[in-house]
Amino acid sequence: MSRLIECLPDAVTVWSFNFMIMDLDGANGQPEGAEDLWELSDRANRTDWFLTTANVAVVTSQADSWHVVDVTLELWDGRPPADDDRWSRSETAELYSSSGRLQVVGVYGHSSGNLMDLRDQARNWFVHASVRPGPGARYRREQPPEGLETYRLQFWPTQPSPSVP
């Protein structure tokens, strides 16, 4: 049975319905021929809510164009146990990470600075993205609403690696 290695809670402001998970290398560490962020964002829409390419994943919200979401990144040593019945939508894809360090980023580059260390560089990872309604909308004057959505992204290696504990 797979085990959870690390769990990193975070929050990000969704702008124009989107936020991202980005490798610290950004476009610098992408393999030649990989789809770039601009090509990926052109494909992002309300039916393709979770898209990945080298060093970036774009998540598209269906809740609102501007709000704060809770996001949890999890690192697993293998495929996590299935629990899709607890989530409204789920999607699994592959993500190449050159540095092995990821952060949750708003579309204008804002990040909390929290980092998920995948403990391995220059390799492909499976990522299972899930979303469900949040605990309930909370509105504060001149601030984006909170509590509309909750996201979880679970990462595990596509192939076993001796450097992942």
Side-chain angles (χ1 to χ4, degrees):
M1 180 168 184
S2 298
R3 71 183 168 96
L4 179 64
I5 297 170
E6 184 176 348
C7 180
L8 178 70
D10 208 340
V12 66
T13 300
V14 170
W15 290 88
S16 302
F17 293 98
N18 295 298
F19 70 92
M20 300 173 289
I21 308 301
M22 293 192 80
D23 186 279
L24 287 186
D25 285 345
N28 295 328
Q30 290 183 330
E32 190 170 325
E35 184 177 37
D36 68 27
L37 178 59
W38 305 112
E39 293 167 328
L40 187 68
S41 65
D42 284 344
R43 288 196 298 126
N45 61 46
R46 294 195 178 255
T47 54
D48 293 328
W49 70 276
F50 181 68
L51 298 171
T52 62
T53 188
N55 286 352
V56 68
V58 175
V59 181
T60 302
S61 168
Q62 292 185 335
D64 199 350
S65 65
W66 183 59
H67 64 289
V68 175
V69 295
D70 293 321
V71 181
T72 301
L73 304 181
E74 296 179 353
L75 175 62
W76 289 79
D77 64 358
R79 179 182 290 277
D83 68 349
D84 286 347
D85 57 332
R86 295 181 43 218
W87 299 87
S88 302
R89 292 177 288 163
S90 294
E91 178 98 21
T92 301
E94 269 191 54
L95 174 75
Y96 175 83
S97 173
S98 59
S99 77
R101 294 176 299 159
L102 305 174
Q103 61 184 347
V104 179
V105 179
V107 294
Y108 296 113
H110 304 295
S111 167
S112 70
N114 294 337
L115 293 176
M116 169 61 75
D117 184 355
L118 298 176
R119 296 163 173 80
D120 208 350
Q121 299 175 347
R123 69 170 300 153
N124 287 321
W125 297 85
F126 288 116
V127 56
H128 186 73
S130 302
V131 60
R132 66 179 171 215
R138 296 180 308 278
Y139 295 89
R140 295 181 302 175
R141 175 173 282 183
E142 298 181 26
Q143 296 292 318
E146 299 176 7
L148 301 177
E149 294 179 300
T150 299
Y151 287 87
R152 180 187 65 189
L153 290 96
Q154 300 171 300
F155 297 86
W156 69 97
T158 58
Q159 298 175 8
S161 171
S163 63
V164 174

